[in-house]
Amino acid sequence: MRRKARLLAGSACLAALLAASAAHAQNQRSQLWEPRDTRRALGTAREQALRPPAPAAAPGAPAAPGAPAAPGVPAAPAPPAAAPAAAPDRNAPVTFTAASISYDEPTQTVTATGRVEAWQNDRILQADRVTFDRRTGIARAEGNVVLVEPDGQVLFAERATLNQDFSAGVAQGMRGLLAENGRMAATAARRRDGRLTEMFRGVYTTCDPCERDPQRAPLWQISARRAQHDQLDKRVEYWGPTLSMAGIPVLYLPYLSHPDPTVERASGLLPPLLGQSTTLGAFFSVPYYGVLDDQSDFTVEPIYSTQEGLIMTGEYRRRFNSGYFTLRGSGTNDSQGDWRGHILGASRFTVNDTWRTGFDLARVSDISYLRNYRFGSPRFLTTRPFVEGFWPRSYALVDASAYQGLSTIDSFTSAPLVLPRMLFDYAGPPDRFGGRFGFDVGSFSITRSSGTDTLRLGGRAGWSTELVDGIGSRWTFGGRLDLYGYAFDDFTRGNPTSLSGTSGVAHPQAFGMWRLPLSRRYGEFTHVIEPIIQGVIGPNTGSNPNPNEDSRDVEFTDANLFALNRFPGRDRLEGGARLNYGLRNTLFLPNGGSLEAMFGQSLRAHRDDMFDPQSGLAGRSSDYVARLSIDPLPWLGVAYRARFANDQFRQTFSDLSASIGQQPLSLTASYVLVPPSITGNRLVRREEVGGVGFVGPFRGTFLEHWRGAAGAYFDMEQNKLVSTVFGAVYEDECFIFNVRYVRSYTNTALQAEGGTTILFQLTFKTVGEFGFSAF
């Protein structure tokens, strides 16, 4: 919950005017300078203790205020006291050291000169000369004055007049170093109550001075006729501020306020957002961020649009010792008089060392609301409460799920409601044969307003072990039993007749796998070839009469070549006798890189009609699967997965990604070919190619603060662009400039029109940001 919220006065946005005088900026630019080394102000106690004692003062001169008296010689210097746990004692003695000390008895004035250091509690004063009036308790410091505050803030001045505990005073030519590189300067300043620093004709920035020309104006600075820093409330206020960029005034505000750089969270108005959208028209928003306490906050953002009126959005967040809770959403009465909105939420809570609970919440009024109102474009939304338990060898889960599809092919009435789902999974310890036994058991219940209702109860148990023979071959043996019972209602199986009833499935399998890793070294190179053969025996499953809730879309690749069940779920189980084989070939390079290739296929004794014709597993001989991984150098990486038809060796599936280069120049590219799937509701083939190039930053050049990216994605099946993107960012220690352009094209599946997004954002670090967004 470390959100930095920067308060901007509401009147500032309404009264913003361009400043007219560039000469004013030229006068102000020299007020910010690089102070001398602050290590002197923050010297350690050890360094102070090793300094030689100051020379003796004039006869009769008293010791330093508050120090033990000694005839003719001031007390030896002592290090500053550590900060007490309680509030500082303003009546505590002031201790100081200096090269020489003199005392004027008629005026009761103590004068210290030459590397003067004085401290009370944990506040430190340094100067070339300090004069202390014992009658009034006033100290006057001159020459390279440095005041170190208890919170680490360092103030510099040419001359200063302070009270006895340095908590109040007046300074001329004041400069200050704050947290997060914050820098203040003023022609004059007044300090009150040990917390308020009031500055006249002051400036503020977080930019470092130019190394080649320290007198050059910073990239940005805020100048004001009067400013005030409250160290207790952690706030900086300006009256009549002017924002200057590179010494040129660009914006005038009647008032400006923001937390000081030490504040992580503060209530107030966030920077406004202006934009243009094809569905909203022109829109404008000013969010308000509120801190309720150390554990919770909220954000309220009213958005006014010319076409759809007012949209109210909000977010609430709270963190507990055992977890967190968030809730956000929006609502509007649109131009047609219809109520529309959405709600998103999440929580996670640790009950104890074993149990954890939480929920995810996501609902929307209609499928086009999120995209048209700028809240994203997910494919579907999931609402899910859950409880889960963790033990050393077991896991338990109880949850429920409700789904909302956001495409035109999704039906609201046929969306499944999973209530509940239960699972217990156990993995046993190694037995005396070196094997392991494990099992899981669970159930789920699915209901729909229109469609099939399904109840499934059952589980899976299995045992496996691995042996190594004398030549290094690795033999893996095992068996598994799947056992499930079903109850279903209103189930249509390929005909208009709806069925209701119960059924059961018992599916045993046994398998064995042989692998022989063969390794050879060529100097610093290591070459490993590993042939793999796996045999699986089980009953033929044939046409499964049960509802299919979790095993619809099958993707056959090298990743599941040796899986006992290539369906993603358990409503469909792969059966029959089959032989899977593959060859893995790997070359390990001396620099830690590698080249890896794999090729394999699955052979069946009998054809399995459960697989989709485009899955690559429909025949007795599957398609060939391959993988190629190339990582020879830190700046080059290629990952390629493919499937080839077993008759003509034509490519039926492909997933290629490549990354070339490092900063400041790099490129990522991808190519995807996915066949249609009847069971997976993927009606057309997808073939898409694209890439994104990245440039910058160029260290040590005038482009060292710049970086950018540009890319495009093209649909080869429909012969049209999918999207284009461009972005550029400038970032240094005090300023961020960000511009992004994204062009997306019509997506009929999501019932969303194509559009253009332009984001223009300026961020003044520790102060705030201003952005413009167009859609």
Side-chain angles (χ1 to χ4, degrees):
M1 302 179 62
R2 298 169 58 85
R3 174 179 294 182
K4 290 191 176 182
R6 306 306 180 194
L7 177 60
L8 298 173
S11 60
C13 299
L14 302 177
L17 300 172
L18 289 176
S21 172
H24 173 72
Q26 185 67 23
N27 294 334
Q28 292 288 342
R29 71 177 189 176
S30 61
Q31 296 187 35
L32 291 180
W33 64 302
E34 180 68 19
R36 60 180 177 157
D37 192 353
T38 58
R39 284 177 297 179
R40 172 185 170 187
L42 302 173
T44 63
R46 179 178 179 274
E47 292 173 332
Q48 294 168 347
L50 293 177
R51 292 175 186 152
V73 180
D89 182 9
R90 293 193 174 186
N91 296 320
V94 177
T95 305
F96 64 87
T97 62
S100 63
I101 299 176
S102 62
Y103 177 65
D104 188 337
E105 187 172 3
T107 60
Q108 299 188 34
T109 300
V110 178
T111 302
T113 58
R115 196 176 177 82
V116 183
E117 291 194 13
W119 58 86
Q120 184 197 51
N121 297 313
D122 49 3
R123 183 175 283 117
I124 304 172
L125 172 68
Q126 293 182 342
D128 294 338
R129 175 187 174 92
V130 175
T131 303
F132 179 72
D133 190 328
R134 301 187 64 188
R135 295 172 300 177
T136 63
I138 299 298
R140 293 178 174 83
E142 299 176 288
N144 297 315
V145 179
V146 180
L147 179 63
V148 182
E149 294 293 333
D151 60 1
Q153 176 180 305
V154 184
L155 302 178
F156 302 84
E158 299 172 1
R159 292 181 295 278
T161 302
L162 305 168
N163 64 354
Q164 183 170 350
D165 64 354
F166 311 146
S167 63
V170 177
Q172 294 180 331
M174 194 278 293
R175 294 161 298 279
L177 291 179
L178 309 180
E180 301 290 333
N181 206 45
R183 300 164 184 268
M184 298 187 304
T187 56
R190 179 173 57 193
R191 184 165 179 80
R192 296 181 284 117
D193 303 326
R195 56 174 283 189
L196 297 175
T197 301
E198 190 175 13
M199 294 158 283
F200 303 93
R201 296 190 64 190
V203 292
Y204 173 82
T205 188
T206 57
C207 301
D208 292 332
C210 177
E211 295 183 359
R212 294 184 296 271
D213 184 9
Q215 297 301 315
R216 182 180 177 182
L219 181 59
W220 68 267
Q221 69 178 17
I222 298 174
S223 58
R225 63 177 184 273
R226 177 171 165 259
Q228 179 174 284
H229 179 212
D230 191 327
Q231 287 181 261
L232 183 61
D233 291 340
K234 306 292 186 181
R235 180 157 296 282
V236 180
E237 298 177 277
Y238 308 85
W239 287 265
T242 298
L243 173 64
S244 299
M245 300 289 296
I248 302 175
V250 296
L251 186 66
Y252 167 77
L253 303 173
Y255 174 81
L256 174 64
S257 174
H258 64 82
D260 75 17
T262 63
V263 175
E264 296 292 339
R265 301 164 61 242
S267 299
L269 295 176
L270 299 177
L273 176 66
L274 304 172
Q276 172 69 33
S277 169
T278 55
T279 55
L280 300 180
F283 60 86
F284 171 77
S285 71
V286 180
Y288 179 82
Y289 174 71
V291 177
L292 299 177
D293 50 44
D294 291 341
Q295 292 80 36
S296 60
D297 56 26
F298 69 92
T299 303
V300 176
E301 182 179 8
I303 304 173
Y304 179 77
S305 66
T306 57
Q307 294 184 15
E308 297 297 332
L310 180 66
I311 306 107
M312 290 298 301
T313 70
E315 180 181 17
Y316 173 77
R317 307 188 303 173
R318 181 171 179 83
R319 184 170 293 277
F320 303 85
N321 291 336
S322 59
Y324 69 89
F325 167 80
T326 66
L327 186 67
R328 63 183 183 272
S330 68
T332 183
N333 193 355
D334 68 8
S335 57
Q336 305 300 319
D338 298 327
W339 184 92
R340 306 175 72 183
H342 82 289
I343 184 170
L344 303 174
S347 74
R348 299 290 186 272
F349 288 97
T350 300
V351 179
N352 51 40
D353 292 341
T354 300
W355 293 97
R356 187 179 77 153
T357 185
F359 72 85
D360 295 302
L361 173 64
R363 301 297 289 180
V364 66
S365 59
D366 54 87
I367 64 175
S368 61
Y369 175 79
L370 292 177
R371 178 178 176 88
N372 292 343
Y373 282 76
R374 306 169 41 256
F375 296 115
S377 55
R379 174 62 180 80
F380 61 89
L381 301 177
T382 303
T383 298
R384 175 179 173 261
F386 70 90
V387 177
E388 56 185 350
F390 302 86
W391 294 269
R393 296 188 178 277
S394 56
Y395 169 77
L397 170 69
V398 178
D399 70 354
S401 300
Y403 302 93
Q404 184 178 11
L406 300 182
S407 73
T408 55
I409 63 176
D410 294 325
S411 171
F412 177 78
T413 58
S414 63
L417 176 63
V418 183
L419 183 66
R421 178 181 63 160
M422 294 181 287
L423 173 67
F424 179 80
D425 192 300
Y426 171 79
D431 55 29
R432 60 179 181 175
F433 302 105
R436 288 180 182 269
F437 172 78
F439 72 89
D440 63 61
V441 60
S443 68
F444 70 74
S445 175
I446 292 180
T447 60
R448 293 177 172 89
S449 300
S450 174
T452 305
D453 296 339
T454 306
L455 172 64
R456 187 183 78 188
L457 174 65
R460 170 182 292 170
W463 178 88
S464 65
T465 186
E466 184 176 84
L467 305 174
V468 180
D469 62 19
I471 63 173
S473 297
R474 297 181 178 271
W475 299 83
T476 304
F477 302 97
R480 192 168 75 182
L481 173 65
D482 287 84
L483 190 64
Y484 303 100
Y486 288 86
F488 47 84
D489 182 58
D490 196 22
F491 172 42
T492 301
R493 186 173 62 240
N495 57 67
T497 303
S498 296
L499 302 178
S500 299
T502 60
S503 64
V505 174
H507 186 68
Q509 293 185 96
F511 69 92
M513 177 184 288
W514 171 82
R515 298 183 295 131
L516 179 58
L518 301 173
S519 175
R520 184 171 181 177
R521 293 187 62 87
Y522 303 94
E524 296 182 345
F525 296 83
T526 301
H527 186 197
V528 178
I529 297 179
E530 184 180 24
I532 306 172
I533 300 176
Q534 180 193 50
V536 183
I537 300 176
N540 295 321
T541 54
S543 179
N544 193 318
N546 301 312
N548 186 357
E549 300 286 359
D550 62 4
S551 302
R552 301 189 62 85
D553 195 3
V554 179
E555 186 175 282
F556 178 47
T557 68
D558 65 285
N560 57 8
L561 172 62
F562 299 103
L564 296 185
N565 183 31
R566 298 187 180 99
F567 288 99
R570 302 192 182 184
D571 284 338
R572 294 294 180 266
L573 300 172
E574 185 177 2
R578 55 197 182 273
L579 179 70
N580 308 314
Y581 68 91
L583 179 67
R584 183 182 293 120
N585 193 348
T586 307
L587 179 65
F588 295 97
L589 307 181
N591 60 359
S594 64
L595 306 175
E596 182 186 9
M598 181 180 177
F599 185 84
Q601 188 186 28
S602 178
L603 304 176
R604 309 182 61 84
H606 300 281
R607 181 184 180 93
D608 195 334
D609 295 331
M610 288 194 306
F611 289 107
D612 188 282
Q614 300 290 335
S615 66
L617 291 167
R620 292 182 57 189
S621 298
S622 76
D623 288 352
Y624 300 104
V625 293
R627 181 183 75 242
L628 179 64
S629 178
I630 303 175
D631 295 292
L633 299 167
W635 53 267
L636 176 62
V638 177
Y640 175 58
R641 255 184 187 150
R643 188 169 69 238
F644 303 92
N646 60 12
D647 50 0
Q648 301 174 353
F649 210 73
R650 58 183 175 84
Q651 186 172 252
T652 58
F653 168 84
S654 178
D655 184 0
L656 170 66
S657 63
S659 176
I660 304 173
Q662 290 180 312
Q663 285 187 350
L665 295 172
S666 63
L667 172 69
T668 62
S670 65
Y671 169 77
V672 175
L673 171 64
V674 181
S677 172
I678 299 175
T679 58
N681 290 329
R682 191 170 56 248
L683 304 181
V684 297
R685 188 177 80 155
R686 177 190 173 200
E687 187 174 12
E688 185 177 300
V689 63
V692 179
F694 301 90
V695 59
F698 293 90
R699 303 296 183 187
T701 71
F702 70 97
L703 295 175
E704 63 179 346
H705 298 297
W706 285 94
R707 61 184 187 272
Y713 291 88
F714 185 80
D715 189 331
M716 301 177 67
E717 186 69 20
Q718 301 185 25
N719 196 30
K720 67 176 185 179
L721 280 170
V722 176
S723 64
T724 56
V725 60
F726 166 81
V729 178
Y730 173 90
E731 180 175 6
D732 59 19
E733 77 283 351
C734 65
F735 179 73
I736 301 175
F737 167 76
N738 185 6
V739 59
R740 280 182 289 169
Y741 168 89
V742 178
R743 170 63 174 168
S744 58
Y745 297 87
T746 302
N747 189 328
T748 56
L750 292 178
Q751 202 183 55
E753 296 180 356
T756 301
T757 300
I758 301 175
L759 174 66
F760 176 84
Q761 190 174 39
L762 302 175
T763 301
F764 303 91
K765 293 185 179 179
T766 76
V767 175
E769 63 185 25
F770 177 80
F772 174 82
S773 181
F775 298 85

